[in-house]
Amino acid sequence: MTKTRTFLAGILVLFTLALCFVWPMPNGQLPFHRNGFIYPVIALSLGLFFTSPQARAQLHGKQLRFVLYTLGALTLFLLINGLFVAPDLKEMIGTWDGQWVRPALLFCAGIVLLPAVQTAFPNFSAARLFTLIVLSFWGVILIHLLDTVWLYWRDGIIHWGETRIVFNRTRMSFQINMITGFILAELLARGLMHQRFLRLSTPVLGLLLLSNLVCTALVDTRWGTIGLVGGLFSAFILITLHNMQRSRVVLTCGILVAIVAASAALGYASWKTDPRWQSLESDAITGWNAPFDSFCYIKSAAAPINDMDTPMNHSNGCRASFFHQGWKLVFKYPAGMGPHKEAFNYILNRDLHTDRITIPHSHYGLIEFGLQNGFAGIAGWLILLAGCWYIGWRHFRHGNTMIGMFLLLFTIGFFSRTLVDHNLLDHYLEQYMFLTGLLIGMCALQQLRADPPKI
């Protein structure tokens, strides 16, 4: 039995790392569907955990009750509410299962992953596991950089804003920001608090950070750049507040100057390489009330003309229109329409009595969640996030500083991204739920209550 458990735990670790590497890649580019990793990870982690009294004893159940009860209640509500409001029950149940139940199971799998593995590998620490996961996620960024170098060697130009390993720039920027947030927090913690968590040397972390910043400039996403800068300042503020009395003023000010300089460099690179900034205000004003027969909603239609007498930029203007019309629909249908991958598109075509609307979604995660699940669904989601945030804050302030900080920053960053991007679906939500569950599980481990390691 011990050999079997050791073998299954090894498979669980390998499948988890492989999943983290392939997660943002389209299934069409893979030799198999990524569910071939997801469901074994869920089954193995839960199976190994619940069949081991030792693993179950490692977790503080009281710390997990609120988030697990909230997750269960929200899962049940999304189903019941959908049964009453959904126009197509079969599609609703399929979407609820694929877009919510699977991420919820990944959340639970993340919580029990480390104790499940440690029943077979007692010396496999939280820091080692999380370091391997970060490197697996970073593998996608590395391949993108190598592909960019190859394209430059072949064509003699830099292919700004192009991605081939993932579906689009949004996916790549989400991947970059996620990994960069952890790296920045680790580097700032080493500099200001003399604590470390990731099992990588500081020069290696510096190289990873540099590669991520270069990749951010290459991908050329404005919201991704803003999110990266926001994460940088958030990590600095958290660490400074935590360590205010012990921090050295000169060191703190020096790091702040470096952060401002790096942020300015990123902002300047985005401004110079992305012409959309130049007409942002004019396009947003024009797009706020863009008609439903414009190219914002019908791909083949004409673009409205802004007050600069130029065609409105789609990203600048249409996002303003989607925000405006999206929240109007949320208030119009306060109970939502049930889980549906293209709720915005469906409601517009239905209400306008047409089938010409081609825009699939509103580009805003929180709006899409509201269109599907109503205000009660939004409230449930925010309560779940608040529970995760509270666990992170409590551990950040009282002992588990590094893991708590990672959980805090990741929760804040993901929520912030839902306000500007459609990331409450597919692999975005799956990654968030899994990593959040993993960090919460690490916070709840009994052996992690000791003082954090020093440099």
Side-chain angles (χ1 to χ4, degrees):
M1 186 64 182
T2 303
K3 290 184 178 180
T4 301
R5 179 172 290 274
T6 301
F7 173 76
L8 292 177
I11 293 297
L12 173 58
V13 173
L14 291 176
F15 272 43
T16 299
L17 299 180
L19 174 61
C20 293
F21 177 70
V22 305
W23 227 328
M25 301 179 190
N27 285 311
Q29 293 184 7
L30 301 172
F32 45 80
H33 200 285
R34 61 175 173 265
N35 284 350
F37 287 132
I38 290 176
Y39 287 113
V41 167
I42 293 172
L44 287 171
S45 57
L46 294 175
L48 289 171
F49 177 79
F50 284 109
T51 57
S52 171
Q54 177 188 357
R56 297 198 302 272
Q58 284 184 259
L59 290 181
H60 291 276
K62 291 183 179 180
Q63 297 189 26
L64 304 173
R65 286 178 185 171
F66 180 80
V67 291
L68 290 178
Y69 288 161
T70 302
L71 179 67
L74 182 57
T75 301
L76 189 60
F77 168 79
L78 298 185
L79 175 62
I80 295 175
N81 182 66
L83 293 175
F84 283 99
V85 300
D88 187 331
L89 290 182
K90 182 178 179 181
E91 182 176 9
M92 183 278 295
I93 292 175
T95 304
W96 170 77
D97 176 53
Q99 296 295 316
W100 180 258
V101 174
R102 186 164 61 232
L105 289 174
L106 283 165
F107 182 85
C108 297
I111 289 176
V112 304
L113 177 64
L114 186 58
V117 171
Q118 286 181 337
T119 59
F121 305 106
N123 296 324
F124 201 81
S125 65
R128 182 176 299 176
L129 176 61
F130 202 76
T131 301
L132 291 173
I133 286 176
V134 167
L135 289 175
S136 296
F137 278 124
W138 181 77
V140 175
I141 300 171
L142 174 62
I143 292 179
H144 176 72
L145 291 174
L146 294 176
D147 185 55
T148 301
V149 172
W150 154 250
L151 291 175
Y152 179 77
W153 180 82
R154 188 192 67 180
D155 303 332
I157 59 172
I158 297 176
H159 290 254
W160 299 100
E162 292 187 22
T163 60
R164 298 201 298 176
I165 189 173
V166 298
F167 183 70
N168 54 30
R169 295 181 301 162
T170 300
R171 289 196 180 197
M172 183 59 74
S173 72
F174 184 85
Q175 195 82 358
I176 296 168
N177 286 14
M178 178 176 64
I179 301 307
T180 304
F182 296 134
I183 295 174
L184 285 172
E186 176 77 17
L187 288 172
L188 287 172
R190 292 184 184 190
L192 291 174
M193 297 191 302
H194 303 291
Q195 293 183 17
R196 66 168 67 226
F197 182 69
L198 297 177
R199 294 297 185 252
L200 296 170
S201 68
T202 300
V204 170
L205 285 175
L207 287 174
L208 295 181
L209 177 61
L210 179 61
S211 69
N212 288 4
L213 296 179
V214 171
C215 198
T216 294
L218 291 172
V219 172
D220 196 21
T221 55
R222 293 175 299 170
W223 293 120
T225 302
I226 293 173
L228 195 60
V229 172
L232 185 61
F233 278 99
S234 297
F236 178 78
I237 291 171
L238 275 176
I239 292 175
T240 302
L241 288 175
H242 181 272
N243 209 38
M244 186 176 296
Q245 294 181 348
R246 293 177 291 145
S247 293
R248 288 173 292 178
V249 175
V250 175
L251 177 61
T252 302
C253 292
I255 293 177
L256 178 59
V257 170
I259 290 174
V260 172
S263 302
L266 282 173
Y268 180 76
S270 179
W271 177 271
K272 294 298 289 185
T273 60
D274 194 335
R276 295 175 298 177
W277 288 111
Q278 314 303 322
S279 61
L280 176 61
E281 181 180 0
S282 178
D283 288 338
I285 294 172
T286 304
W288 183 260
N289 289 307
F292 290 115
D293 59 355
S294 70
F295 80 149
C296 288
Y297 299 91
I298 302 174
K299 188 176 295 186
S300 59
I305 303 299
N306 61 25
D307 58 12
M308 298 171 65
D309 292 326
T310 60
M312 181 187 76
N313 177 269
H314 188 281
S315 177
N316 290 340
C318 294
R319 274 186 170 269
S321 180
F322 299 154
F323 182 88
H324 182 202
Q325 299 299 336
W327 279 114
K328 282 178 64 176
L329 291 175
V330 172
F331 279 91
K332 184 178 180 180
Y333 300 103
M337 59 161 292
H340 194 292
K341 283 199 69 172
E342 296 184 351
F344 190 62
N345 175 276
Y346 180 89
I347 293 174
L348 285 178
N349 275 311
R350 183 188 64 187
D351 289 5
L352 297 174
H353 306 289
T354 183
D355 58 358
R356 298 182 62 210
I357 303 295
T358 56
I359 183 69
H361 53 76
S362 65
H363 290 268
Y364 296 95
L366 203 61
I367 289 177
E368 288 295 319
F369 202 78
L371 290 176
Q372 297 175 57
N373 307 301
F375 284 108
I378 291 178
W381 170 248
L382 295 180
I383 291 171
L384 178 62
L385 291 183
C388 298
W389 186 91
Y390 176 73
I391 291 175
W393 176 254
R394 185 176 59 189
H395 283 265
F396 172 69
R397 295 295 295 170
H398 300 100
N400 256 347
T401 306
M402 296 298 295
I403 299 175
M405 180 172 58
F406 283 168
L407 180 56
L408 269 174
L409 293 173
F410 193 43
T411 301
I412 294 171
F414 187 83
F415 169 72
S416 301
R417 201 69 187 261
T418 65
L419 302 178
V420 296
D421 273 319
H422 186 24
N423 61 336
L424 278 173
L425 82 168
D426 295 338
H427 83 286
Y428 304 110
L429 184 58
E430 292 171 358
Q431 286 180 338
Y432 170 74
M433 295 292 275
F434 176 74
L435 283 178
T436 301
L438 178 64
L439 290 169
I440 288 175
M442 290 178 177
C443 286
L445 278 177
Q446 296 195 56
Q447 63 264 38
L448 290 182
R449 300 179 72 183
D451 292 334
K454 300 289 185 179
I455 291 180

mmCIF file of all heavy atoms in Angstrom, residues 1 4-5 16 19 29 43 47 54 84 143 154 158 185 191 203 234 258 267 277 282 300 308 360-361 368 437 439:
data_model
loop_
_atom_site.group_PDB
_atom_site.id
_atom_site.type_symbol
_atom_site.label_atom_id
_atom_site.label_comp_id
_atom_site.label_asym_id
_atom_site.label_seq_id
_atom_site.Cartn_x
_atom_site.Cartn_y
_atom_site.Cartn_z
ATOM 1 N N MET A 1 0.825 -1.205 0.000
ATOM 2 C CA MET A 1 0.000 0.000 0.000
ATOM 3 C C MET A 1 0.866 1.266 0.000
ATOM 4 O O MET A 1 0.565 2.256 -0.658
ATOM 5 C CB MET A 1 -0.924 0.005 1.226
ATOM 6 C CG MET A 1 -1.920 1.155 1.245
ATOM 7 S SD MET A 1 -3.082 1.030 -0.143
ATOM 8 C CE MET A 1 -4.052 2.504 0.120
ATOM 9 N N THR A 4 2.198 1.888 -3.444
ATOM 10 C CA THR A 4 1.125 2.395 -4.301
ATOM 11 C C THR A 4 0.864 3.871 -4.020
ATOM 12 O O THR A 4 0.732 4.682 -4.946
ATOM 13 C CB THR A 4 -0.166 1.592 -4.082
ATOM 14 O OG1 THR A 4 0.077 0.222 -4.377
ATOM 15 C CG2 THR A 4 -1.281 2.122 -4.970
ATOM 16 N N ARG A 5 0.815 4.229 -2.740
ATOM 17 C CA ARG A 5 0.592 5.625 -2.378
ATOM 18 C C ARG A 5 1.745 6.512 -2.858
ATOM 19 O O ARG A 5 1.529 7.626 -3.343
ATOM 20 C CB ARG A 5 0.413 5.739 -0.867
ATOM 21 C CG ARG A 5 0.204 7.169 -0.365
ATOM 22 C CD ARG A 5 -0.155 7.178 1.106
ATOM 23 N NE ARG A 5 -1.489 6.651 1.303
ATOM 24 C CZ ARG A 5 -2.595 7.373 1.225
ATOM 25 N NH1 ARG A 5 -2.523 8.665 0.939
ATOM 26 N NH2 ARG A 5 -3.773 6.837 1.409
ATOM 27 N N THR A 16 0.340 17.682 -11.817
ATOM 28 C CA THR A 16 0.103 19.065 -11.398
ATOM 29 C C THR A 16 1.043 20.016 -12.129
ATOM 30 O O THR A 16 0.619 21.058 -12.646
ATOM 31 C CB THR A 16 0.296 19.208 -9.880
ATOM 32 O OG1 THR A 16 -0.648 18.371 -9.198
ATOM 33 C CG2 THR A 16 0.097 20.647 -9.437
ATOM 34 N N LEU A 19 0.083 20.210 -15.785
ATOM 35 C CA LEU A 19 -1.124 21.020 -15.945
ATOM 36 C C LEU A 19 -0.793 22.500 -15.887
ATOM 37 O O LEU A 19 -1.291 23.292 -16.702
ATOM 38 C CB LEU A 19 -2.139 20.652 -14.857
ATOM 39 C CG LEU A 19 -3.403 21.514 -14.783
ATOM 40 C CD1 LEU A 19 -4.196 21.427 -16.082
ATOM 41 C CD2 LEU A 19 -4.274 21.095 -13.600
ATOM 42 N N GLN A 29 -3.892 23.053 -29.701
ATOM 43 C CA GLN A 29 -2.449 22.974 -29.875
ATOM 44 C C GLN A 29 -1.831 21.824 -29.094
ATOM 45 O O GLN A 29 -0.637 21.562 -29.224
ATOM 46 C CB GLN A 29 -1.804 24.288 -29.425
ATOM 47 C CG GLN A 29 -2.137 25.478 -30.304
ATOM 48 C CD GLN A 29 -1.390 26.735 -29.884
ATOM 49 O OE1 GLN A 29 -0.534 26.699 -29.020
ATOM 50 N NE2 GLN A 29 -1.727 27.855 -30.514
ATOM 51 N N ALA A 43 -8.897 13.947 -8.724
ATOM 52 C CA ALA A 43 -9.172 12.624 -8.155
ATOM 53 C C ALA A 43 -8.033 12.144 -7.251
ATOM 54 O O ALA A 43 -8.276 11.625 -6.147
ATOM 55 C CB ALA A 43 -9.415 11.620 -9.280
ATOM 56 N N GLY A 47 -8.465 11.812 -3.353
ATOM 57 C CA GLY A 47 -8.387 10.411 -2.954
ATOM 58 C C GLY A 47 -7.276 10.153 -1.955
ATOM 59 O O GLY A 47 -7.487 9.494 -0.921
ATOM 60 N N GLN A 54 -3.513 10.646 8.517
ATOM 61 C CA GLN A 54 -2.391 11.548 8.759
ATOM 62 C C GLN A 54 -2.538 12.840 7.965
ATOM 63 O O GLN A 54 -2.311 13.944 8.481
ATOM 64 C CB GLN A 54 -1.071 10.862 8.386
ATOM 65 C CG GLN A 54 0.153 11.758 8.544
ATOM 66 C CD GLN A 54 1.410 11.113 7.978
ATOM 67 O OE1 GLN A 54 1.374 9.970 7.528
ATOM 68 N NE2 GLN A 54 2.511 11.855 7.987
ATOM 69 N N PHE A 84 -34.300 28.349 -12.469
ATOM 70 C CA PHE A 84 -35.477 29.218 -12.547
ATOM 71 C C PHE A 84 -35.389 30.232 -13.682
ATOM 72 O O PHE A 84 -36.418 30.625 -14.239
ATOM 73 C CB PHE A 84 -35.657 29.967 -11.220
ATOM 74 C CG PHE A 84 -36.245 29.126 -10.127
ATOM 75 C CD1 PHE A 84 -35.427 28.543 -9.174
ATOM 76 C CD2 PHE A 84 -37.618 28.902 -10.053
ATOM 77 C CE1 PHE A 84 -35.966 27.761 -8.159
ATOM 78 C CE2 PHE A 84 -38.165 28.130 -9.050
ATOM 79 C CZ PHE A 84 -37.341 27.552 -8.094
ATOM 80 N N ILE A 143 8.891 30.060 -23.453
ATOM 81 C CA ILE A 143 8.690 29.636 -24.840
ATOM 82 C C ILE A 143 8.275 30.809 -25.714
ATOM 83 O O ILE A 143 8.707 30.931 -26.871
ATOM 84 C CB ILE A 143 7.646 28.499 -24.893
ATOM 85 C CG1 ILE A 143 8.213 27.236 -24.242
ATOM 86 C CG2 ILE A 143 7.219 28.211 -26.329
ATOM 87 C CD1 ILE A 143 7.245 26.076 -24.220
ATOM 88 N N ARG A 154 14.123 35.141 -38.148
ATOM 89 C CA ARG A 154 13.580 34.738 -39.457
ATOM 90 C C ARG A 154 13.121 35.924 -40.288
ATOM 91 O O ARG A 154 13.374 35.985 -41.502
ATOM 92 C CB ARG A 154 12.394 33.781 -39.239
ATOM 93 C CG ARG A 154 11.861 33.137 -40.504
ATOM 94 C CD ARG A 154 10.525 32.455 -40.249
ATOM 95 N NE ARG A 154 9.473 33.416 -39.944
ATOM 96 C CZ ARG A 154 8.207 33.057 -39.691
ATOM 97 N NH1 ARG A 154 7.875 31.775 -39.658
ATOM 98 N NH2 ARG A 154 7.295 33.978 -39.433
ATOM 99 N N ILE A 158 10.505 42.697 -34.901
ATOM 100 C CA ILE A 158 9.899 42.220 -33.658
ATOM 101 C C ILE A 158 8.392 42.156 -33.850
ATOM 102 O O ILE A 158 7.766 43.138 -34.259
ATOM 103 C CB ILE A 158 10.250 43.149 -32.486
ATOM 104 C CG1 ILE A 158 11.763 43.153 -32.241
ATOM 105 C CG2 ILE A 158 9.514 42.715 -31.218
ATOM 106 C CD1 ILE A 158 12.201 44.120 -31.156
ATOM 107 N N ALA A 185 6.800 39.919 -4.953
ATOM 108 C CA ALA A 185 6.575 39.816 -3.512
ATOM 109 C C ALA A 185 7.751 39.139 -2.831
ATOM 110 O O ALA A 185 8.190 39.554 -1.749
ATOM 111 C CB ALA A 185 5.279 39.045 -3.246
ATOM 112 N N GLY A 191 14.313 41.768 0.412
ATOM 113 C CA GLY A 191 15.005 43.028 0.606
ATOM 114 C C GLY A 191 14.588 43.769 1.856
ATOM 115 O O GLY A 191 15.428 44.378 2.529
ATOM 116 N N PRO A 203 19.547 36.070 -7.714
ATOM 117 C CA PRO A 203 19.864 36.359 -9.126
ATOM 118 C C PRO A 203 18.922 35.651 -10.106
ATOM 119 O O PRO A 203 18.544 36.226 -11.127
ATOM 120 C CB PRO A 203 21.304 35.860 -9.277
ATOM 121 C CG PRO A 203 21.883 35.942 -7.902
ATOM 122 C CD PRO A 203 20.746 35.595 -6.986
ATOM 123 N N SER A 234 1.323 47.263 -4.767
ATOM 124 C CA SER A 234 0.587 46.561 -3.713
ATOM 125 C C SER A 234 1.532 45.749 -2.841
ATOM 126 O O SER A 234 1.425 45.762 -1.604
ATOM 127 C CB SER A 234 -0.472 45.645 -4.328
ATOM 128 O OG SER A 234 -1.432 46.385 -5.040
ATOM 129 N N ALA A 258 13.297 52.583 -7.111
ATOM 130 C CA ALA A 258 13.462 51.562 -8.152
ATOM 131 C C ALA A 258 12.105 51.142 -8.718
ATOM 132 O O ALA A 258 11.961 50.940 -9.929
ATOM 133 C CB ALA A 258 14.198 50.355 -7.586
ATOM 134 N N GLY A 267 5.491 52.048 -18.355
ATOM 135 C CA GLY A 267 4.480 52.953 -18.896
ATOM 136 C C GLY A 267 4.946 53.622 -20.175
ATOM 137 O O GLY A 267 4.180 53.748 -21.142
ATOM 138 N N TRP A 277 -3.235 54.694 -26.966
ATOM 139 C CA TRP A 277 -3.269 55.666 -25.883
ATOM 140 C C TRP A 277 -3.607 57.071 -26.393
ATOM 141 O O TRP A 277 -4.232 57.867 -25.676
ATOM 142 C CB TRP A 277 -1.921 55.711 -25.168
ATOM 143 C CG TRP A 277 -1.610 54.529 -24.313
ATOM 144 C CD1 TRP A 277 -0.658 53.575 -24.525
ATOM 145 C CD2 TRP A 277 -2.243 54.167 -23.077
ATOM 146 N NE1 TRP A 277 -0.658 52.636 -23.515
ATOM 147 C CE2 TRP A 277 -1.623 52.982 -22.610
ATOM 148 C CE3 TRP A 277 -3.285 54.733 -22.327
ATOM 149 C CZ2 TRP A 277 -2.003 52.349 -21.428
ATOM 150 C CZ3 TRP A 277 -3.659 54.110 -21.149
ATOM 151 C CH2 TRP A 277 -3.029 52.943 -20.711
ATOM 152 N N SER A 282 -11.016 60.480 -26.492
ATOM 153 C CA SER A 282 -11.972 60.732 -27.574
ATOM 154 C C SER A 282 -12.744 59.473 -27.938
ATOM 155 O O SER A 282 -13.971 59.506 -28.127
ATOM 156 C CB SER A 282 -11.229 61.263 -28.797
ATOM 157 O OG SER A 282 -12.114 61.469 -29.871
ATOM 158 N N SER A 300 -18.684 43.041 -38.853
ATOM 159 C CA SER A 300 -18.556 43.551 -40.224
ATOM 160 C C SER A 300 -19.060 44.982 -40.379
ATOM 161 O O SER A 300 -18.980 45.544 -41.478
ATOM 162 C CB SER A 300 -19.342 42.641 -41.178
ATOM 163 O OG SER A 300 -20.719 42.597 -40.811
ATOM 164 N N MET A 308 -12.041 63.432 -33.142
ATOM 165 C CA MET A 308 -10.785 63.740 -33.825
ATOM 166 C C MET A 308 -10.910 63.459 -35.324
ATOM 167 O O MET A 308 -9.923 63.480 -36.056
ATOM 168 C CB MET A 308 -9.646 62.912 -33.225
ATOM 169 C CG MET A 308 -9.388 63.197 -31.751
ATOM 170 S SD MET A 308 -8.216 62.020 -30.986
ATOM 171 C CE MET A 308 -6.711 62.405 -31.885
ATOM 172 N N PRO A 360 -19.110 38.242 -28.478
ATOM 173 C CA PRO A 360 -19.496 37.118 -27.618
ATOM 174 C C PRO A 360 -19.706 37.485 -26.159
ATOM 175 O O PRO A 360 -20.541 36.892 -25.471
ATOM 176 C CB PRO A 360 -18.333 36.128 -27.769
ATOM 177 C CG PRO A 360 -17.156 36.997 -28.113
ATOM 178 C CD PRO A 360 -17.707 38.134 -28.917
ATOM 179 N N HIS A 361 -18.944 38.464 -25.646
ATOM 180 C CA HIS A 361 -19.058 38.800 -24.231
ATOM 181 C C HIS A 361 -18.723 40.273 -24.042
ATOM 182 O O HIS A 361 -18.301 40.964 -24.974
ATOM 183 C CB HIS A 361 -18.121 37.925 -23.381
ATOM 184 C CG HIS A 361 -16.697 37.937 -23.834
ATOM 185 N ND1 HIS A 361 -15.838 38.999 -23.593
ATOM 186 C CD2 HIS A 361 -15.962 37.023 -24.530
ATOM 187 C CE1 HIS A 361 -14.663 38.745 -24.113
ATOM 188 N NE2 HIS A 361 -14.693 37.556 -24.698
ATOM 189 N N GLU A 368 -20.079 39.899 -16.643
ATOM 190 C CA GLU A 368 -20.527 38.602 -17.151
ATOM 191 C C GLU A 368 -21.083 37.723 -16.025
ATOM 192 O O GLU A 368 -22.085 37.044 -16.204
ATOM 193 C CB GLU A 368 -19.361 37.888 -17.842
ATOM 194 C CG GLU A 368 -18.954 38.481 -19.167
ATOM 195 C CD GLU A 368 -20.044 38.364 -20.224
ATOM 196 O OE1 GLU A 368 -20.700 37.309 -20.295
ATOM 197 O OE2 GLU A 368 -20.248 39.337 -20.970
ATOM 198 N N GLY A 437 -6.743 27.814 -3.563
ATOM 199 C CA GLY A 437 -6.931 26.681 -2.675
ATOM 200 C C GLY A 437 -5.611 26.151 -2.149
ATOM 201 O O GLY A 437 -5.486 25.811 -0.962
ATOM 202 N N LEU A 439 -2.768 27.831 -1.693
ATOM 203 C CA LEU A 439 -2.232 28.762 -0.700
ATOM 204 C C LEU A 439 -3.017 28.704 0.602
ATOM 205 O O LEU A 439 -2.446 28.780 1.701
ATOM 206 C CB LEU A 439 -2.238 30.183 -1.268
ATOM 207 C CG LEU A 439 -1.238 30.449 -2.394
ATOM 208 C CD1 LEU A 439 -1.515 31.790 -3.065
ATOM 209 C CD2 LEU A 439 0.194 30.414 -1.875
#
